[in-house]
């Protein structure tokens, strides 16, 4: 079982930057691909970015390319990991609840963008961008 806890959301103005964090831990912690999704009111949950356990592979949705950057720090004992989403030049349409998610990294180079591939989810953090 993996626990994911997001933080860093808040109210910002258009053009501002924000960095979200997701702390991942568990009793039997394995190697996990981590991803970020978001869900705006009345819309489907949308994939934004994913990163492999090693951090060497990343993938971004078109909506995130150029403005968002995903990164991660793994603890030396590999018992926990923190994933970040740096968001720059924020726009009012970025307003949403942002979720981090994880699935076990099987060494497959292609990172999943599909919500159903992710087995573990955080509770979400609200990001509101005012114009």
């Amino acid at each position: 079982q993996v626990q994911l806890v997001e933080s860093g959301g808040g109210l910002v103005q258009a053009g501002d930057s924000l960095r979200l964090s997701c702390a991942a831990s568990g009793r039997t912690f394995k190697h996990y691909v981590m991803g970020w999704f978001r869900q705006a009111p009345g819309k489907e949950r949308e994939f934004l970015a994913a990163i492999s356990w090693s951090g060497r592979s990343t993938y971004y949705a078109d909506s995130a390319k150029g403005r968002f950057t995903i990164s991660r720090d793994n603890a030396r004992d590999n018992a926990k990991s923190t994933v970040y989403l740096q968001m720059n030049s924020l726009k009012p349409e970025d307003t949403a609840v942002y979720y981090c998610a994880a699935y076990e990294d099987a060494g497959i180079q292609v990172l999943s963008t599909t919500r159903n591939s992710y087995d573990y989810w955080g509770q979400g953090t609200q990001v509101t961008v005012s114009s």
Side-chain angles (χ1 to χ4, degrees):
Q1 191 73 14
V2 177
Q3 291 79 46
L4 304 177
V5 180
E6 301 101 333
S7 61
L11 172 64
V12 297
Q13 293 187 331
D16 285 352
S17 297
L18 205 58
R19 189 175 82 157
L20 305 182
S21 300
C22 174
S25 61
R27 181 173 294 182
T28 53
F29 200 70
K30 300 179 181 179
H31 292 184
Y32 294 97
V33 170
M34 303 291 293
W36 284 98
F37 291 72
R38 68 184 179 187
Q39 189 165 17
K43 293 189 175 181
E44 294 288 318
R45 193 166 296 189
E46 173 192 16
F47 168 81
L48 293 173
I51 187 167
S52 63
W53 169 258
S54 67
R56 287 193 288 268
S57 296
T58 58
Y59 187 80
Y60 294 90
D62 288 343
S63 58
K65 285 179 183 177
R67 294 191 301 126
F68 294 0
T69 303
I70 189 170
S71 61
R72 72 187 298 164
D73 287 326
N74 297 331
R76 286 186 177 181
D77 59 0
N78 291 331
K80 57 183 178 181
S81 180
T82 303
V83 178
Y84 305 97
L85 186 69
Q86 176 68 41
M87 304 187 293
N88 299 326
S89 302
L90 284 163
K91 306 173 183 179
E93 50 264 44
D94 293 318
T95 295
V97 178
Y98 285 69
Y99 298 90
C100 72
Y103 67 90
E104 189 172 346
D105 192 341
I108 299 172
Q109 286 193 326
V110 177
L111 304 178
S112 178
T113 64
T114 306
R115 178 179 175 178
N116 289 342
S117 296
Y118 290 77
D119 298 312
Y120 305 99
W121 292 83
Q123 81 289 350
T125 185
Q126 176 70 47
V127 173
T128 303
V129 185
S130 64
S131 57

